[in-house]
Amino acid sequence: MPSPSGPDALNLADSARTAPKFASIGSPYFGIMLAVMAVVLILSNIGASKGVAIGPIITDGGFFLFPLAYILGDVISEVYGFKVARKAIFTTFALSVFASVCYWIIIALPGFDDEFGTSKQAALEGALGPVPQIVLASLLAFLAGQTINSWILVKMKARTGEKSLWARIMGSSVAGEFVDTLIFCSIAASVIGITDFGMFVNYVVVGFVYKTLVEFLFVPVTSLVIGWIKKREPSYGVPTSAVTNAA
């Protein structure tokens, strides 16, 4: 079959230059980020069972951890594409559900009936008992928020190529974090003790502003990490990986 020539060859060359670049899974970097992402989400689910009041600000005990999962999601989406990011989201959810099942089993197992045993059981039930509802809230919120975040970032990359990384991170974060925060707070509010509408609005607004602000502040760090991984991924920029991972 003859190779394209003339205008067709120029069009193919232009398409190759403007097509978004991605890497295929094969190096250890993706596995490390996936593991950290799962641990962060599991720890966030435990921390979120505690309501936290810092002056007039109402939040939960996982507030300082959860934005890290979104930062990792940005890195995975930018480097590996939407298809791989979606796999990371579902894998993280599956591990979080597994952790929740383990909590149920630990609480249900018969313990010692002395004073220490009963106090330990009460502490476990208080700390891990609400987690299943937190996991449900996190499951639905993270699924929706991360999917929107990843989809927008990859779609923006299709338009801008390697340029304007900061705009992709910030634009996708605003949409993803808002959806995530609204869904999570709507389901988890009653578990952590939020009982009236004013407290709920405070919880949603503070959560959204905080998470988005953290992501914005970490844009330089996120960009450096993305650049570092891109340079070390042998398959980054290979046309076949772009087609496979961006699907």
Side-chain angles (χ1 to χ4, degrees):
M1 183 176 180
S3 300
S5 59
D8 291 338
L10 291 175
N11 289 335
L12 286 174
D14 290 339
S15 298
R17 282 195 296 267
T18 58
K21 299 177 182 179
F22 297 103
S24 59
I25 302 174
S27 73
Y29 301 115
F30 173 74
I32 292 170
M33 287 188 288
L34 176 60
V36 174
M37 195 176 186
V39 170
V40 166
L41 183 60
I42 291 170
L43 292 177
S44 296
N45 291 339
I46 297 173
S49 64
K50 175 180 178 177
V52 173
I54 305 174
I57 297 174
I58 296 175
T59 182
D60 58 63
F63 78 95
F64 66 98
L65 278 169
F66 195 75
L68 297 178
Y70 262 82
I71 292 171
L72 288 168
D74 286 338
V75 176
I76 291 173
S77 299
E78 173 68 22
V79 177
Y80 301 98
F82 181 66
K83 185 177 180 180
V84 174
R86 188 170 54 195
K87 289 180 181 178
I89 293 169
F90 286 122
T91 301
T92 301
F93 286 152
L95 292 172
S96 185
V97 170
F98 174 72
S100 183
V101 171
C102 291
Y103 302 149
W104 293 337
I105 295 173
I106 292 169
I107 291 173
L109 289 172
F112 297 151
D113 56 5
D114 57 8
E115 183 178 352
F116 178 79
T118 54
S119 64
K120 198 72 171 178
Q121 178 70 16
L124 284 171
E125 292 176 358
L128 301 181
V131 166
Q133 188 169 338
I134 297 293
V135 169
L136 175 63
S138 178
L139 178 69
L140 298 178
F142 198 66
L143 176 62
Q146 271 284 19
T147 301
I148 289 172
N149 178 75
S150 177
W151 184 82
I152 291 176
L153 190 149
V154 172
K155 286 296 182 182
M156 290 179 69
K157 186 173 183 178
R159 291 174 175 266
T160 62
E162 295 296 301
K163 300 178 181 179
S164 304
L165 174 59
W166 63 271
R168 292 197 293 278
I169 295 173
M170 295 175 71
S172 61
S173 297
V174 170
E177 291 289 11
F178 177 75
V179 172
D180 182 289
T181 304
L182 183 62
I183 294 174
F184 180 82
C185 293
S186 298
I187 299 174
S190 60
V191 177
I192 69 172
I194 294 176
T195 55
D196 60 65
F197 184 71
M199 291 177 68
F200 174 75
V201 171
N202 188 323
Y203 188 32
V204 172
V205 172
V206 169
F208 169 67
V209 172
Y210 166 75
K211 293 173 185 176
T212 306
L213 182 60
V214 169
E215 286 216 47
F216 284 5
L217 291 175
F218 272 82
V219 165
V221 177
T222 305
S223 300
L224 288 174
V225 172
I226 288 173
W228 189 88
I229 294 176
K230 283 179 177 179
K231 290 179 181 178
R232 285 159 179 79
E233 276 290 4
S235 62
Y236 186 78
V238 177
T240 53
S241 68
V243 173
T244 301
N245 288 293

